[in-house]
Amino acid sequence: MSYAEVAVGIRTEPGRTFSYSIPRDLAVRKGHAVQVPFGPRQLPGFVFEVTELPGYPETRDIARVIDTQPWLTDAQVELARWISGHYHASLYSAASLMIPPGFRQRVVAVYRATPEPPQTSLESLDDRQELLLHYARDRKQVGQGEVEARFGKRPASVLLGQLVRKRLLSRAWEWRKPTVQAKFANYASLAVERTQALEETERLAASRAVKQAKLLNAILEQAGGVPLSDLNQRFGPSRPALKALEERGIVAVHQERVERDPLANRQYPATRPHDLTDDQQRAWEQIGKALDREEPPGSLFLLHGVTGSGKTELYLNALQRVVDQGRKGIVLVPEISLTPQTIARFAGRFPGRVAVLHSRLTPGQHFDEWWRIREGEFDVVVGSRGAIFAPQPNLGLIVLDEEHEWTYKQQDPQPRYHARAVAGKLAELTGATVIMGSATPQIESYHKALSGEYRLLELPDRIVVQEDGQGGAGALPRVELVDMRQELKKGNRSVFSRALSRGMTDALERKEQVILFLNRRGAATFVQCRDCGYVARCKRCDSTMTYHGEAPRGAHLLCHQCGYRTPPPVHCPDCWSSNIRYMGLGTERLETEVGKAFPGATTLRWDRDVTRGHDSHEKIMEQFLGRKADILIGTQMIAKGLHLPGVTLVGVVNADIGLYSPEFRAGERVFQVLCQVAGRSGRGASRGQVIIQTYSPGNYAVASAAAQDYKAFYNQELGLRMETRLPPFSQLVRLLYMHTNAAYAQREAQRMHHTLAEQLEQWAFPGTKLVGPAPAPLERIRGRYRWHVIIQGPDPNLLLSKVSIPEGWAVDVDPVQLL
């Protein structure tokens, strides 16, 4: 008898598995997805170990194996163990990050009426029980969800349990059909030789069987068969005519699998490697040695290069080296907006061998891409943070572009992993090399590089791609800092400083393109009554409502935290005054202001409000690159890694947004976004210009960004972090509790703090302290009050491992924000 340690699909403490015996007729291996009995239920699970002895004396049999092939490789099993332990998540939730799309939580309860029920039970039924029993008898079987929809979730659960105990209903467990599966389509193809089919076409035409002749001619034109959907579209309903051809043995109708390829029908121009600069060559020599395994496997490189310094060319060279060795790579980008241009760069170098994984894919596309990746059909996978779990066989390289971006951190649900940390662990397990690139590395990353944990590579100079496709020396854009306080003193109340207005006029006259950056959506950031001071706030959150004034939804107030919408007020709800004013500036209003100030210019807006569609990012990119617009207005989406060679001027409309957020990383984020958006200027033949408007020109983050001096910012920020022992001088774990009752949330936070404090006193972990309990800066979101406790120390997980986390608590290890 063999036994399996199974991570079951329930909430458990980190690393917990349950012992099951393996029936002799089942072939079970590590990594298999299985169905197991758990109490009265059947649940999905993953096999983490197969042993000769059980971990518990009494075991139950595994019910079935879901797929004959394991879904998890040995490396992924170990990666899931690490994610579970490090991020304080269940093993099942960690493993679920790596499984095929559409396969989660598919075991459902079904109920059938008992054929010969006990008479005494029938006589003891109340009205609701009798109603549910008749409902079940009228159907062959009913599912749990179906009954809940009919009777209500909680009443259904109680009633079903009562009827099962009375032996009036029997309960079974079924594996629910996956939400997404492989797609098949009907095709029509020739069943005879072409010469015979041609003769038959002439005969049909002569006998006036016109539709049959047209169908047969269309099938003749396309080797390998024609989809029936195409024939129906061209000739109308075709099944009767096809059936006649089938019956005569001329045509055969069969099914073929349809690949839902997100890159189908797209052509990418082939590209060739550029000559490397001296700085690139020095960096490449170190990367090449790691890829050639001349050094210990699992090397982690931090590639610090100014914007436009040729980091992508090194990524491409590294991927080519890996592919030449018979291995494969994963490339992560922080924003979906970057994906189209990134795909074009990589598909141009690896035509037909690039897969895409991100949240804008349809479920069918995601399903097909995952399985094709698993089969080894692609050399390169490009995607957002979840692509780190792509089942890429024989992994040799992982690239994290713009490694500093907070979007690499999963916020909800658990596990709240960081793709950078996962990449490092995956490299350790597989021997792959990791390259993390950024012009503005995260403070913790640069500190690790200087201390030797990462290997630091520097690209200090910009490269401009010449007309022949080769790279040449380029200059960083000129940056001008404009003090908007002085503009106000001189009577300029426009959203554009005089310097920015002149710069835009000059650029437009030269037929060059302009980017205007404003990290706020909407037309007005808040709505206020000028008589009593009332400010419109979300009824479910503590945040102010943002005014949006455009179609298709029409004018409305929107909460950017929870999505709640309401019409804008005509009168103040407090004092009934009509003196309502729309304050602040967002991208929507900025677009209007640009239209007034520069009526001859065409504009595009790029923010979350206009990128709801499946391929909206790509369409905006194509329009701007195709010179269909002179001015691009956008939020942080336009700040990250885009190559827009026609842009010679970038205007930052308000550099202070986010600067005074109650977050210890606020200054770092402002510095990063300003440097990144400045880097969009001057990437073509002409040197760029950047104009930054601010009310805080003396702030170190803004001043360092204007000077494009990362090391100056790093040194000052590091000094501030050292004083407070914040990362990188410590690690943080945030425990967040949410409840609809404010007092209850506070009590739970105080109880958790007391538990942690007791354990901290008992174990005396050096350098570890508790912060809080305190309300979160955003105290209420979606009607739930939020309190948190923060553990700060060299290894907060040591303290966390000593306590049991009650249900309702969210654990965020190494949080990227504390709001």
Side-chain angles (χ1 to χ4, degrees):
M1 177 68 73
S2 296
Y3 300 89
E5 291 298 314
V6 179
V8 180
I10 59 167
R11 184 181 182 274
T12 64
E13 61 267 28
R16 176 72 187 275
T17 59
F18 297 87
S19 297
Y20 286 88
S21 50
I22 302 174
R24 297 187 185 279
D25 60 340
L26 286 185
V28 176
R29 304 204 311 268
K30 183 195 292 188
H32 262 134
V34 294
Q35 178 182 337
V36 295
F38 194 89
R41 299 178 288 170
Q42 294 275 324
L43 294 176
F46 299 103
V47 176
F48 271 71
E49 192 174 357
V50 175
T51 64
E52 294 183 359
L53 295 174
Y56 191 78
E58 296 181 10
T59 60
R60 300 166 75 180
D61 284 353
I62 291 175
R64 65 187 285 255
V65 176
I66 294 166
D67 194 340
T68 56
Q69 295 298 315
W71 283 352
L72 306 178
T73 65
D74 287 352
Q76 287 178 317
V77 166
E78 295 309 311
L79 181 63
R81 287 189 194 277
W82 178 82
I83 290 173
S84 173
H86 185 74
Y87 292 107
H88 212 80
S90 72
L91 269 178
Y92 181 85
S93 65
S96 294
L97 296 167
M98 307 169 202
I99 65 173
F103 278 87
R104 297 185 186 181
Q105 300 176 349
R106 295 193 294 125
V107 177
V108 294
V110 293
Y111 298 85
R112 299 180 180 89
T114 306
E116 298 179 2
Q119 187 63 32
T120 54
S121 295
L122 288 172
E123 294 170 354
S124 65
L125 293 178
D126 61 28
D127 291 343
R128 289 182 63 80
Q129 292 170 346
E130 190 170 356
L131 182 63
L132 176 51
L133 182 59
H134 284 300
Y135 182 79
R137 280 178 171 172
D138 290 342
R139 292 156 178 80
K140 183 178 180 182
Q141 69 177 34
V142 291
Q144 179 98 19
E146 180 186 351
V147 178
E148 289 175 354
R150 174 71 173 78
F151 293 88
K153 188 169 183 178
R154 183 158 183 80
S157 179
V158 172
L159 290 170
L160 286 169
Q162 291 169 345
L163 292 174
V164 168
R165 286 192 292 275
K166 290 175 180 287
R167 292 183 293 165
L168 297 173
L169 290 181
S170 63
R171 177 169 50 196
W173 301 92
E174 290 188 356
W175 200 252
R176 188 173 59 197
K177 186 178 180 181
T179 56
V180 58
Q181 292 179 307
K183 181 180 179 181
F184 292 87
N186 290 321
Y187 279 71
S189 59
L190 292 179
V192 296
E193 296 294 330
R194 285 184 61 83
T195 52
Q196 184 180 343
L198 286 166
E199 292 173 0
E200 192 65 29
T201 303
E202 294 174 1
R203 193 192 67 75
L204 289 168
S207 63
R208 297 186 180 181
V210 179
K211 188 156 192 177
Q212 291 183 45
K214 288 181 178 179
L215 290 174
L216 186 53
N217 192 54
I219 295 167
L220 271 163
E221 291 173 355
Q222 194 163 332
V226 184
L228 264 58
S229 57
D230 289 359
L231 294 176
N232 291 332
Q233 188 173 2
R234 289 176 61 185
F235 306 111
S238 305
R239 197 70 185 102
L242 274 176
K243 189 172 182 181
L245 292 171
E246 269 189 289
E247 289 174 350
R248 295 179 55 205
I250 301 168
V251 168
V253 175
H254 61 282
Q255 280 198 332
E256 290 185 15
R257 180 166 177 178
V258 178
E259 298 290 355
R260 292 158 287 192
D261 183 357
L263 303 184
N265 304 318
R266 301 188 187 214
Q267 300 295 323
Y268 297 101
T271 61
R272 57 190 180 88
H274 298 163
D275 293 335
L276 300 182
T277 65
D278 292 342
D279 291 325
Q280 285 178 310
Q281 187 62 43
R282 281 190 287 270
W284 171 243
E285 286 171 1
Q286 294 191 54
I287 294 171
K289 288 180 180 178
L291 296 175
D292 292 340
R293 302 177 180 178
E294 296 178 16
E295 298 176 359
S299 298
L300 281 71
F301 291 97
L302 178 64
L303 181 58
H304 175 215
V306 298
T307 54
S309 59
K311 296 185 289 293
T312 302
E313 188 63 25
L314 290 179
Y315 303 156
L316 289 164
N317 283 7
L319 281 166
Q320 188 64 64
R321 178 70 61 88
V322 164
V323 170
D324 291 343
Q325 295 168 346
R327 297 188 289 164
K328 300 179 183 297
I330 294 174
V331 178
L332 302 184
V333 292
E335 285 276 357
I336 295 172
S337 59
L338 283 180
T339 308
Q341 198 167 68
T342 304
I343 291 168
R345 292 176 182 175
F346 287 89
R349 194 72 62 90
F350 303 95
R353 294 177 288 159
V354 175
V356 184
L357 287 179
H358 58 70
S359 60
R360 288 290 177 92
L361 297 184
T362 66
Q365 288 174 336
H366 194 179
F367 179 92
D368 287 350
E369 290 288 272
W370 193 95
W371 284 102
R372 293 175 70 193
I373 292 166
R374 179 187 169 95
E375 294 301 316
E377 293 187 25
F378 299 105
D379 292 332
V380 183
V381 175
V382 177
S384 46
R385 65 173 176 263
I388 191 63
F389 302 110
Q392 187 74 301
N394 203 12
L395 186 63
L397 178 69
I398 304 170
V399 173
L400 276 85
D401 194 26
E402 311 293 353
E403 69 83 34
H404 63 277
E405 286 293 342
W406 64 269
T407 49
Y408 281 128
K409 184 72 157 66
Q410 166 84 358
Q411 299 296 322
D412 279 307
Q414 190 76 296
R416 295 174 177 84
Y417 67 89
H418 199 298
R420 181 177 56 234
V422 172
K425 186 64 180 179
L426 186 57
E428 177 188 320
L429 293 168
T430 61
T433 298
V434 179
I435 304 175
M436 301 169 284
S438 176
T440 55
Q442 190 178 33
I443 293 294
E444 292 94 315
S445 297
Y446 200 71
H447 186 263
K448 287 180 179 179
L450 294 180
S451 61
E453 189 171 340
Y454 298 160
R455 298 174 62 184
L456 181 62
L457 306 173
E458 300 270 11
L459 298 177
D461 298 319
R462 172 171 278 202
I463 301 170
V464 174
V465 178
Q466 309 296 336
E467 292 183 2
D468 60 0
Q470 296 301 306
L476 289 170
R478 296 181 295 270
V479 181
E480 181 179 352
L481 205 59
V482 178
D483 188 345
M484 295 301 285
R485 298 171 301 180
Q486 297 303 317
E487 293 289 311
L488 285 173
K489 286 181 181 178
K490 294 176 180 179
N492 180 17
R493 299 189 177 277
S494 166
V495 298
F496 307 109
S497 64
R498 289 166 298 167
L500 182 54
S501 184
R502 282 195 306 270
M504 291 176 67
T505 301
D506 293 344
L508 294 172
E509 286 178 352
R510 294 192 300 266
K511 306 298 182 185
E512 296 168 348
Q513 290 178 299
V514 176
I515 284 178
L516 293 179
F517 171 74
L518 179 63
N519 210 12
R520 281 286 184 271
R521 294 188 286 140
T525 52
F526 65 99
V527 177
Q528 186 175 40
C529 173
R530 297 297 292 271
D531 288 342
C532 72
Y534 162 84
V535 173
R537 292 183 177 275
C538 176
K539 67 178 185 179
R540 299 189 293 182
C541 306
D542 281 337
S543 59
T544 57
M545 301 281 281
T546 301
Y547 174 69
H548 291 253
E550 63 177 16
R553 296 181 183 271
H556 61 276
L557 299 183
L558 175 66
C559 173
H560 287 175
Q561 294 296 330
C562 72
Y564 172 72
R565 296 174 187 273
T566 187
V570 178
H571 301 283
C572 172
D574 283 356
C575 71
W576 209 242
S577 166
S578 59
N579 193 11
I580 302 294
R581 292 294 181 268
Y582 297 86
M583 316 293 286
L585 180 69
T587 50
E588 187 182 326
R589 185 182 149 206
L590 179 59
E591 188 176 24
T592 303
E593 296 295 327
V594 169
K596 292 177 183 177
F598 304 94
T602 54
T603 61
L604 274 176
R605 200 168 95 238
W606 197 344
D607 59 25
R608 187 175 170 186
D609 295 326
V610 296
T611 53
R612 307 283 185 184
H614 173 62
D615 55 356
S616 50
H617 293 285
E618 190 168 3
K619 288 179 179 177
I620 294 172
M621 173 78 73
E622 287 176 354
Q623 285 181 277
F624 197 62
L625 284 172
R627 298 298 187 107
K628 301 290 178 59
D630 305 307
I631 301 171
L632 179 64
I633 299 165
T635 56
Q636 61 185 0
M637 287 181 178
I638 65 174
K640 303 170 183 177
L642 297 173
H643 181 66
L644 305 168
V647 174
T648 59
L649 173 65
V650 167
V652 178
V653 177
N654 185 355
D656 305 337
I657 291 174
L659 193 60
Y660 301 106
S661 170
E663 268 267 281
F664 75 91
R665 287 193 174 95
E668 181 181 12
R669 288 192 179 150
V670 168
F671 170 80
Q672 287 168 340
V673 76
L674 292 180
C675 284
Q676 292 289 334
V677 75
R680 301 316 106 206
S681 178
R683 298 172 75 98
S686 302
R687 187 179 182 187
Q689 181 184 11
V690 181
I691 297 172
I692 299 176
Q693 300 182 163
T694 177
Y695 291 91
S696 308
N699 183 278
Y700 73 101
V702 176
S704 299
Q708 298 175 84
D709 190 341
Y710 175 81
K711 291 182 180 176
F713 171 79
Y714 172 81
N715 289 330
Q716 186 154 357
E717 180 71 16
L718 197 70
L720 296 173
R721 302 272 185 97
M722 187 181 293
E723 290 177 7
T724 51
R725 305 303 299 172
L726 286 167
F729 301 102
S730 68
Q731 290 182 284
L732 303 179
V733 171
R734 183 195 198 197
L735 289 88
L736 177 69
Y737 191 81
M738 296 178 287
H739 200 273
T740 54
N741 184 291
Y744 187 83
Q746 180 178 354
R747 285 197 301 273
E748 286 299 305
Q750 290 168 339
R751 187 177 292 116
M752 174 59 72
H753 180 272
H754 178 71
T755 301
L756 290 168
E758 282 186 334
Q759 294 299 317
L760 184 57
E761 183 178 357
Q762 178 179 343
W763 293 93
F765 295 115
T768 300
K769 68 175 184 178
L770 301 177
V771 180
L778 295 175
E779 187 173 356
R780 189 168 64 108
I781 293 180
R782 293 181 175 87
R784 303 174 75 190
Y785 293 89
R786 308 162 75 244
W787 277 69
H788 61 188
V789 180
I790 297 168
I791 309 173
Q792 180 179 356
D795 189 355
N797 268 332
L798 291 175
L799 174 57
L800 199 61
S801 67
K802 302 299 180 184
V803 299
S804 177
I805 306 297
E807 192 168 355
W809 281 91
V811 180
D812 193 358
V813 178
D814 301 325
V816 294
Q817 58 89 15
L818 299 174
L819 295 178

